[in-house]
Each structure stands twice: as C-alpha cells, then as structure tokens.
Amino acid sequence: MATINAQLSLVSTDLLTDSLSVVTSANLRKAESSSGLDQVRMGRNEIPTGTSFDLLDATTAAIDKANKVYISNLSTDESYFIIVVIDAKVIGRLYAGDWMFIPWNCDDDTHDLEVTAHTGTNTIEWACFHEGETLLTQGD
C-alpha cells in the first residue's frame, strides 16, 4: 500500500522580531479512509506566453474522492508567471520559483484545473496524487 507524506517547512530569521519556524506534515489518505492514496500522475510542461490548457480534466468518476495537486513554476525570470484556474475561477498566480499544493475538488466535470502562461515561456512540474481514478491530462 502506498504511503505518501507531504511535509512543509517555513523558516525565517527576519520576518518578525523573533525567528519563525513552522514544520508540519500529513499522510495523504483516500477520502473517508485510513488507506493511503495509491495513484499519481505527473509531468513537466513548457507553456508559451498566452497558451492556456487543462492540466487536469475533472471527471465524474473522481467525485467525492481525495485529489491533491502540486504545481511548481520552474521559470527563473521573476517577471514570468502562470495563472491557475479551476471551474473558470482564478485561484492564483505562480511566479518564477513559486509552487502550490492544494486539495482539488472534482465534484463535477466542470472543475478542470487549467493553467495559462501570462508572461514568457514557463516550465512547470506537476503531480496529482489521487484515488485510483483515471484523470486525463493534456494529450490523453
């Protein structure tokens, strides 16, 4: 059985008057279960300026399942960024070097996870940890 553990560590010595150090972790589990997530899809894409596509297509088969998504913008030019959209709603921008890790709710097939390169050709790495459902990506 798969065991996937996500860990986040935030450390700063000059953010506040005192130093900040937060470390947390979680085992990624299936919905309503103590079993670990057992499927992963991952990839690396170059996204030219103005290009928009569904990175992950929501499917009705994934309704009420556990899906965790990681996206990292590997670009090094600080003016480059991608826009991340779910169900036609912008959830944020990932500038060069930024990353995100979120639960992804596929409660209907309109909740595709879309990315758009706003400035420059951005290279992203991504992974979707999920519950054994077939989640389609660009090119599938």
Side-chain angles (χ1 to χ4, degrees):
M1 176 176 297
T3 301
I4 301 170
N5 184 280
Q7 183 172 13
L8 174 68
S9 176
L10 296 172
V11 179
S12 176
T13 56
D14 61 355
L15 180 65
L16 304 168
T17 55
D18 295 321
S19 65
L20 170 71
S21 179
V22 177
V23 177
T24 188
S25 65
N27 287 326
L28 305 184
R29 302 188 194 288
K30 294 180 180 181
E32 301 177 19
S33 173
S34 61
S35 298
L37 291 178
D38 56 6
Q39 298 291 314
V40 63
R41 295 197 72 155
M42 60 182 83
R44 183 181 204 138
N45 297 77
E46 284 192 5
I47 310 168
T49 300
T51 302
S52 179
F53 68 93
D54 289 345
L55 185 64
L56 293 163
D57 291 332
T59 64
T60 54
I63 291 175
D64 297 328
K65 302 293 183 186
N67 301 287
K68 312 295 188 217
V69 176
Y70 166 79
I71 303 173
S72 177
N73 186 346
L74 303 179
S75 301
T76 56
D77 185 321
E78 62 275 355
S79 67
Y80 289 10
F81 66 92
I82 63 167
I83 299 170
V84 181
V85 175
I86 297 177
D87 195 19
K89 295 174 186 71
V90 173
I91 63 167
R93 295 178 176 189
L94 293 178
Y95 291 91
D98 285 350
W99 57 271
M100 61 183 261
F101 185 77
I102 61 167
W104 175 40
N105 184 20
C106 299
D107 64 350
D108 68 45
D109 60 7
T110 66
H111 289 171
D112 297 342
L113 194 148
E114 179 183 306
V115 293
T116 302
H118 189 267
T119 308
T121 297
N122 291 258
T123 300
I124 63 168
E125 282 185 338
W126 59 272
C128 179
F129 305 95
H130 59 95
E131 280 193 58
E133 300 298 337
T134 302
L135 301 177
L136 302 177
T137 62
Q138 180 190 24
D140 285 348

